[in-house]
Amino acid sequence: MTGPVSPPAPTPATAASPGTGPFPGVRFSVLDRSRVREGRPVGEALRDTVALAREAEALGYHRFWVAEHHGVPGVAGSAPTVLAAAVASATSRVRVGTGGVMLPNHQPLVVAEQFGVLESLFPGRIDMGLGRSVGFTDGVRKALGRGKEEADAFAERLAELLGYFDGPAPSGVRARPADAVRVPAFVLATGAGARTAAAAGLPLVIGGPRREKLAEAARTYREEFRPGPWAAAPYVVVSGEVALARDEDSARRLLLPEAWAMSHARTHGTFPPLEAAARIEAMELPVRQRGLLEKGLDGGVYGTEEQVVERLGGLIEATGAQEVLVTTSTYDRAGLLDSYRRLARLAGIVPAGGG
């Protein structure tokens, strides 16, 4: 009698091709927040994320990242490294990572161990995206045992985390198996966080509705970047919502559920599950919430292929981004997948036989 047969070791990912269309040399990636839809099971949002990762891989996207949120009714993704493991298990080529793990919420040793395990299981495919945000509410911060001031120690925690991949920390502790692997690290930040990324010699991920603020963060980062063992040159990833459809109005409706949820959070204090666009359009919203909703829509890139070329091209030019991380969430899953297909074809990243 023979024992159980071990599966073959995973092979490192083959790098996805950068864009060859109107955005030559720019890579395209996906961040999915596992958004819950009104009236649908919470677990379905996680399964949708894994299914979308398979589609993104087939379409030629370079990375597929998941996020960290705690105590948020509208988001199922509370454990990004666990979800990243599920995504990596369901795919074979696309890079998988976090956008991001919020380092102030965790001990650097534990984060290093988690990513060391992921990289050991899926060699050459794991990314470690790191943010400096703390829990969103007082209740969540209390449950995590963290205060708002924890974000101020981000640079120190980042240095400690990276140190575990090079050997023992100052305490002499080794983060196994992280000390035997190297996981590419990214900093998600603007402002002071961009300077932290530059000082640490790490790639930078920036996002937000204000193009001028993103351009300023990218410029500061490049000016202050210090090459090191993690990156020899600056690398900027710009993140944001991008939606393509047959016409501008249809693309705008794809972004409407997330814009409504954000406006609801800012006026009611809770971040809700996504509602269908038709239901939102029938709502009588207070003036302030309506204004926030419209402002949220203005921060996205949406439209037909021709309109997205102009709008996204302007954002890439302003920031000098080498990669675009698309963060679109919507109630309409079929419309979302169609948008990602359109963008992949537009950017020229679809491999032969994929989508």
Side-chain angles (χ1 to χ4, degrees):
M1 176 181 282
T2 60
V5 178
S6 299
T11 56
T14 301
S17 300
T20 58
F23 315 111
V26 177
R27 295 193 181 278
F28 283 80
S29 299
V30 177
L31 166 64
D32 192 69
R33 294 192 177 92
S34 302
R35 292 289 276 114
V36 180
R37 293 183 289 169
E38 182 61 39
R40 309 295 300 178
V42 173
E44 182 179 75
L46 298 171
R47 293 187 290 274
D48 284 344
T49 292
V50 175
L52 181 60
R54 294 193 191 99
E55 295 285 356
E57 178 176 77
L59 290 171
Y61 285 94
H62 184 51
R63 310 179 203 277
F64 190 94
W65 283 6
V66 296
E68 174 183 347
H69 297 275
H70 299 286
V72 180
V75 182
S78 57
T81 53
V82 176
L83 185 53
V87 169
S89 294
T91 54
S92 60
R93 298 184 308 277
V94 69
R95 297 196 63 86
V96 178
T98 56
V101 164
M102 296 300 132
L103 195 51
N105 293 339
H106 309 282
Q107 293 297 337
L109 171 64
V110 176
V111 176
E113 290 172 337
Q114 290 173 343
F115 280 96
V117 169
L118 284 171
E119 175 63 20
S120 298
L121 291 171
F122 308 101
R125 294 185 57 205
I126 301 301
D127 297 324
M128 183 168 58
L130 306 163
R132 64 190 299 271
S133 296
V134 195
F136 297 140
T137 67
D138 290 338
V140 169
R141 288 189 290 271
K142 182 178 179 181
L144 291 170
R146 297 290 189 267
K148 290 182 178 180
E149 70 282 355
E150 295 287 344
D152 297 333
F154 178 66
E156 291 78 7
R157 286 178 174 269
L158 178 63
E160 180 184 349
L161 171 61
L162 298 180
Y164 285 120
F165 289 89
D166 293 325
S171 63
V173 174
R174 284 188 175 273
R176 303 182 190 278
D179 60 346
V181 299
R182 178 60 67 95
V183 180
F186 298 72
V187 172
L188 285 63
T190 55
R195 287 189 160 90
T196 299
L202 294 177
L204 176 69
V205 183
I206 51 176
R210 294 179 57 190
R211 181 178 299 182
E212 62 276 10
K213 186 175 181 180
L214 300 183
E216 180 183 355
R219 182 170 55 253
T220 299
Y221 164 73
R222 288 194 174 92
E223 291 173 351
E224 300 184 10
F225 183 85
R226 298 194 325 210
W230 292 86
Y235 190 85
V236 174
V237 182
V238 64
S239 68
E241 293 185 301
V242 181
L244 285 83
R246 64 182 181 277
D247 54 61
E248 185 176 20
D249 185 60
S250 297
R252 183 182 184 276
R253 294 181 85 243
L254 285 176
L255 299 188
L256 185 59
E258 184 72 15
W260 170 81
M262 288 296 297
S263 70
H264 186 280
R266 292 175 180 174
T267 53
H268 295 76
T270 58
F271 196 69
L274 297 175
E275 293 277 4
R279 183 170 179 182
I280 296 169
E281 290 170 336
M283 293 179 181
E284 292 290 338
L285 299 178
V287 173
R288 180 168 178 266
Q289 185 175 355
R290 173 64 64 181
L292 290 169
L293 185 153
E294 294 297 335
K295 186 176 181 180
L297 288 171
D298 289 342
V301 173
Y302 62 88
T304 62
E305 279 80 355
E306 293 78 10
Q307 290 170 320
V308 168
V309 166
E310 178 182 356
R311 296 166 184 175
L312 184 57
L315 180 60
I316 293 171
E317 182 179 2
T319 58
Q322 290 123 301
E323 186 171 336
V324 175
L325 181 65
V326 183
T327 65
T328 308
S329 297
T330 190
Y331 188 94
D332 180 1
R333 299 297 299 186
L336 179 66
L337 180 55
D338 178 67
S339 176
Y340 275 120
R341 286 172 174 159
R342 289 173 182 268
L343 179 59
R345 290 195 295 267
L346 177 65
I349 63 172
V350 183

